[in-house]
Amino acid sequence: MYQVVPGGAGGTITDVIPKQKHRKDTRPLVGAGVIGLVLVIAAVTAWCYYIASIRKAELLKTQLLDLNKDGYIIRNQGGSIVFRMDFRSGTLDLDSCSKEGEMLSCGRTTDRNLNFFIETVRPKDTVQCYRVRWEELVPEIPVEHAMTYTFAHWYGGAVSAIQHWPISIKGQQAPKPFVTSDIYKNRNEFGGILESYWLSSNATAIKINNSVPFHLGWNDTEKTMSFQARYNDSPFKPNPGEAPCAELSYRVCVGLDVTSIHKYMVRRYFNKPNKVPAKVMFRHPIWSTWALHKTDIDQEKVLTYAANIRKYNFNCSHLEVDDRYTRRYGEFEFDPTKFPNASAMFQKLKSDGFLTSLWIHPFVNYDSENFHTCVERGLFVREPTGRLPALVRWWNGIGGILDFTNPEARDWFSSQLRSLRSRYGVTSFKFDAGETNYLPWQFSTRTPIRDPSFFTRRYTEMAIPYNDRAELRSGYQSQNISCFFRPIDRDSVWGYELGLKSLIPTVLTISILGYQFILPDMIGGNAYLNRTDGNHVLPDRELYIRWLELIAFMPSMQFSIPPWEYDNEVVEIARKYTALHESIVAPRVLELASEVLDTGDPIIRPLWWIATGDETAYKIDSQFLIGDDLMVAPVLEPGKQERDIYLPAGRWKSYKGERFDIKEPLHLTDYPVDLDEIAYFVWV
């Protein structure tokens, strides 16, 4: 027997019994106890992990937004999911995430370091915004987030060759550069008027920061739009001296309804025009020589065209002499063969009460007398090394394209326009092209530009001295250029691909992007033989009439194929609708145009503007509003003299004098509309 002193010196002496061996029949109890102990430890550990995960989940929530390793969701005030974004660039390491105030930030994915944050901003009680940034620290790694679009209808982005309202996504497209392009030539690209802004029917809007090397893709199987930032295999370039580390940064805002959130975004993030163009541009039609004569224009045809405008008693805001009045592209002198006395022609036009504008473009062809001058002075966009001018191909040949980031090129171009104005009394210019697809894939400019579409912005600035009557067909961050923006040329067809049906969706899209002074191209379209319904020399007569009726309710009208090319009935219909435009439409448009300077709100509005909670209104692409109180419903189908019409709740009076005092939306089925009519309704 052992004796021990358990407390050390001075402790009590205690008898200790030697340890006995367990009997065989007690071992199962011990095993069960061990297993039980292990289970208890496992349960406690799981509970601890559960509590930790709950705490981490709570940590990664902020003001209706839930962040997880693969993305985030945003809810509205009612708790419904209105926005979902998935991370395709990597999986966040949530252990690297923290929260400070209204900012969630993370420093790692599962395999690399990065800078990521979402910051909550509450600019007003009815709007909740989130600033999002994912910044890669390793060069050449793209950043990609995928937005699920199934929660709502979406609008905005860019004009397209096949235009729908709301956006209709078909097929799959890997992210490609979101830059301006000529969609008449490249029908699968993004259009010449473009902004990285989208708006949804559930009152959610997303605006990509202008600094992002932005690429857009989509997948209609997954129902996603892909927002990607990258520099590799891209025309975007980092700033000089910066590593090509991609950053995707944007803002998502949620409001109470689609109209109010759009108003907030436009006021906050869009440029505004600083003046209203000449009022006569809204009241009287522009007459262009293009669709009637194409490049086969000469002095006699211009004077005959003008004489017929007066002969048939039409008003004219100005007469536009289109392509091709010079011998070669890039020259600024009238072709002496086609225009033997251009000065006399302009004097005659002026004496007959006509103001004139000229077609202009940014190209100087290699056979032009000005090509050598521009090469010697370094006025062209150059190849990547900057040593040689870059030759480009456009629809009228091969040459150089002026570098509008170069002050010398801007001054030279401006001096040519001033010379035309002083010599001939030219009032303004139709600025054609300007899209980035006419730049080389890789290029250099005098002032380096990160975003190729900034070239479009610089080109649109050339119109500023002439903005009372100027016309542009491309625009990027150009809403403050106070002139008319024209959607790209239309074909003389009925459909959605650059046809009559595309006009309303296109104008609504341009309006949502902040461009309100809209010239919706020429009545009847271009009349190209291979792109004209019916293979006629002229656009189909019925198509022409329906086109004319629709354009009468747009901010400005433009004729090229004149109505007297058809018959007296068409001439009378044209007189009727130019008069209606002047008396009913123009006064409303001018009133709204003055408001645009402060608000940026659309002049031409979708029906959901006044019917924000109506699912039907979100999908209507064949009706529109002028302001809040004039609703237009044109006939857009061949052979039809009736159409279905949607009337939002309210008190309406039709053009026929009928009154509709309705508390719920009303569908008018097979509403009769004769060939010489267009249905419109005024809010009483």
Side-chain angles (χ1 to χ4, degrees):
M1 183 176 289
Y2 299 104
Q3 287 183 325
V4 299
V5 184
T12 305
I13 298 173
T14 306
D15 292 336
V16 177
I17 301 173
K19 188 174 181 181
Q20 303 290 321
K21 289 185 177 181
H22 289 291
R23 291 189 338 200
K24 187 175 181 180
D25 58 357
T26 64
R27 291 177 182 174
L29 295 176
V30 174
V34 171
I35 293 172
L37 179 61
V38 170
L39 291 174
V40 169
I41 293 172
V44 171
T45 302
W47 178 256
C48 291
Y49 274 110
Y50 174 69
I51 295 299
S53 65
I54 290 178
R55 288 175 179 172
K56 177 62 72 173
E58 289 302 316
L59 176 70
L60 300 180
K61 289 184 179 181
T62 175
Q63 297 287 340
L64 304 177
L65 181 145
D66 294 351
L67 173 67
N68 61 65
K69 62 186 178 65
D70 297 314
Y72 62 90
I73 62 171
I74 298 174
R75 303 177 188 273
N76 61 17
Q77 295 290 344
S80 299
I81 296 176
V82 294
F83 189 84
R84 173 180 167 179
M85 190 74 87
D86 295 329
F87 303 144
R88 298 290 174 84
S89 313
T91 301
L92 290 179
D93 178 357
L94 297 184
D95 289 335
S96 73
C97 301
S98 61
K99 181 178 181 182
E100 183 175 346
E102 297 300 331
M103 181 178 290
L104 301 174
S105 58
C106 305
R108 282 191 56 79
T109 65
T110 54
D111 62 355
R112 64 186 183 275
N113 293 331
L114 83 161
N115 290 328
F116 171 82
F117 74 77
I118 296 178
E119 181 183 14
T120 303
V121 182
R122 196 175 184 87
K124 55 192 297 188
D125 290 341
T126 58
V127 176
Q128 183 76 53
C129 291
Y130 307 90
R131 293 177 55 226
V132 183
R133 187 179 75 185
W134 180 301
E135 179 186 4
E136 289 292 345
L137 303 179
V138 179
E140 307 299 349
I141 295 180
V143 183
E144 185 174 333
H145 293 180
M147 182 191 77
T148 301
Y149 59 77
T150 55
F151 299 112
H153 305 289
W154 285 87
Y155 315 91
V159 296
S160 59
I162 302 176
Q163 195 84 50
H164 291 286
W165 179 271
I167 295 170
S168 176
I169 295 176
K170 295 182 179 179
Q172 300 179 20
Q173 172 63 56
K176 61 182 179 179
F178 192 69
V179 295
T180 59
S181 183
D182 176 353
I183 53 173
Y184 200 84
K185 178 181 179 182
N186 306 297
R187 300 204 173 193
N188 293 320
E189 299 300 319
F190 305 113
I193 298 177
L194 165 152
E195 303 290 336
S196 53
Y197 167 73
W198 288 266
L199 172 74
S200 82
S201 59
N202 64 10
T204 306
I206 180 169
K207 176 69 176 70
I208 311 296
N209 288 356
N210 295 332
S211 61
V212 172
F214 184 55
H215 298 66
L216 180 68
W218 54 86
N219 187 317
D220 71 346
T221 302
E222 297 180 351
K223 307 301 180 186
T224 56
M225 292 173 61
S226 296
F227 301 127
Q228 187 188 78
R230 75 170 192 259
Y231 289 112
N232 59 311
D233 188 30
S234 170
F236 288 88
K237 293 178 284 190
N239 287 326
E242 288 186 0
C245 294
E247 173 191 312
L248 180 60
S249 53
Y250 53 90
R251 184 167 296 218
V252 181
C253 293
V254 181
L256 296 180
D257 60 69
V258 59
T259 302
S260 63
I261 194 62
H262 178 67
K263 286 183 177 183
Y264 168 78
M265 299 297 286
V266 168
R267 285 157 176 74
R268 179 90 174 177
Y269 298 113
F270 285 15
N271 295 321
K272 310 294 185 304
N274 54 30
K275 60 178 289 188
V276 177
K279 293 181 178 179
V280 69
M281 288 276 287
F282 295 92
R283 291 177 177 140
H284 297 157
I286 299 164
W287 296 78
S288 170
T289 63
W290 171 248
L292 182 63
H293 295 297
K294 306 294 190 298
T295 59
D296 189 26
I297 188 66
D298 58 35
Q299 183 169 327
E300 181 182 354
K301 289 175 181 175
V302 170
L303 292 173
T304 300
Y305 192 54
N308 280 331
I309 294 171
R310 291 289 180 250
K311 174 183 175 181
Y312 288 97
N313 297 316
F314 286 97
N315 288 319
C316 175
S317 64
H318 67 248
L319 176 63
E320 190 174 83
V321 180
D322 213 293
D323 181 17
R324 156 184 189 180
Y325 54 89
T326 61
R327 287 188 303 169
R328 298 178 182 89
Y329 294 104
E331 297 176 358
F332 297 86
E333 295 291 336
F334 278 80
D335 182 340
T337 302
K338 299 173 74 174
F339 295 86
N341 194 338
S343 295
M345 180 188 76
F346 281 103
Q347 289 173 3
K348 171 64 173 171
L349 290 171
K350 183 177 180 181
S351 67
D352 289 343
F354 287 96
L355 299 176
T356 54
S357 70
L358 293 177
W359 176 78
I360 206 74
H361 55 82
F363 307 102
V364 179
N365 277 10
Y366 70 89
D367 60 350
S368 164
E369 292 180 358
N370 288 322
F371 185 81
H372 181 73
T373 299
C374 293
V375 170
E376 288 295 311
R377 295 178 59 180
L379 305 185
F380 288 141
V381 171
R382 304 177 82 79
E383 45 79 42
T385 68
R387 292 191 296 267
L388 295 172
L391 289 179
V392 299
R393 180 182 294 276
W394 62 299
W395 67 91
N396 277 329
I398 298 173
I401 184 168
L402 292 167
D403 177 4
F404 293 104
T405 76
N406 181 351
E408 292 183 37
R410 293 200 301 269
D411 290 345
W412 181 82
F413 187 69
S414 295
S415 70
Q416 305 301 323
L417 303 189
R418 287 195 301 270
S419 176
L420 286 169
R421 185 166 62 175
S422 62
R423 287 187 63 185
Y424 302 113
V426 174
T427 300
S428 191
F429 298 92
K430 171 185 177 177
F431 291 82
D432 213 351
E435 300 91 352
T436 63
N437 69 289
Y438 291 110
L439 299 170
W441 177 252
Q442 296 293 332
F443 63 92
S444 65
T445 51
R446 175 68 62 88
T447 302
I449 55 177
R450 302 173 74 247
D451 181 347
S453 292
F454 193 70
F455 177 86
T456 298
R457 163 70 198 187
R458 280 285 181 246
Y459 179 58
T460 61
E461 291 170 354
M462 304 308 299
I464 291 175
Y466 310 97
N467 57 15
D468 263 1
R469 294 171 179 270
E471 174 186 331
L472 283 160
R473 84 171 196 190
S474 58
Y476 176 68
Q477 301 176 34
S478 306
Q479 297 93 336
N480 63 323
I481 310 297
S482 302
C483 65
F484 279 87
F485 285 83
R486 172 181 67 89
I488 194 107
D489 305 43
R490 305 285 115 172
D491 290 328
S492 300
V493 296
W494 289 90
Y496 284 103
E497 183 173 348
L498 296 178
L500 178 61
K501 285 186 179 179
S502 72
L503 277 175
I504 295 174
T506 299
V507 170
L508 290 175
T509 298
I510 293 172
S511 297
I512 289 297
L513 298 180
Y515 297 88
Q516 309 310 338
F517 307 140
I518 300 172
L519 176 63
D521 206 49
M522 295 165 285
I523 292 166
N526 269 323
Y528 289 130
L529 281 176
N530 60 336
R531 291 174 178 169
T532 302
D533 279 353
N535 294 319
H536 301 298
V537 175
L538 296 174
D540 175 76
R541 182 178 184 273
E542 181 187 7
L543 173 69
Y544 183 87
I545 292 171
R546 293 305 191 190
W547 206 304
L548 164 63
E549 293 163 353
L550 169 57
I551 297 302
F553 285 85
M554 290 292 169
S556 187
M557 301 181 70
Q558 185 178 54
F559 284 99
S560 187
I561 300 293
W564 54 83
E565 289 291 315
Y566 292 92
D567 51 52
N568 288 335
E569 182 183 12
V570 175
V571 171
E572 288 303 316
I573 293 172
R575 288 196 188 113
K576 170 184 174 180
Y577 281 99
T578 53
L580 183 147
H581 176 85
E582 183 177 359
S583 62
I584 294 179
V585 178
R588 278 181 168 80
V589 169
L590 281 167
E591 181 180 352
L592 293 163
S594 64
E595 297 174 6
V596 167
L597 309 186
D598 295 322
T599 67
D601 289 347
I603 293 173
I604 304 299
R605 300 173 180 176
L607 261 62
W608 52 249
W609 194 267
I610 61 170
T612 56
D614 192 322
E615 176 67 19
T616 300
Y618 295 142
K619 297 180 288 186
I620 289 181
D621 67 352
S622 63
Q623 299 176 225
F624 61 94
L625 296 163
I626 303 175
D628 288 345
D629 63 350
L630 178 57
M631 193 272 289
V632 186
V635 172
L636 305 175
E637 299 278 353
K640 297 286 187 180
Q641 295 198 29
E642 67 282 323
R643 63 155 294 164
D644 295 344
I645 295 175
Y646 166 88
L647 276 182
R651 301 177 65 189
W652 299 94
K653 181 180 178 181
S654 79
Y655 70 106
K656 298 177 180 179
E658 306 152 312
R659 290 182 176 269
F660 302 88
D661 189 353
I662 49 177
K663 296 181 180 179
E664 298 290 336
L666 178 64
H667 290 268
L668 302 176
T669 304
D670 291 334
Y671 187 83
V673 186
D674 290 343
L675 180 60
D676 65 342
E677 294 181 326
I678 182 171
Y680 64 93
F681 300 76
V682 178
W683 186 279
V684 181

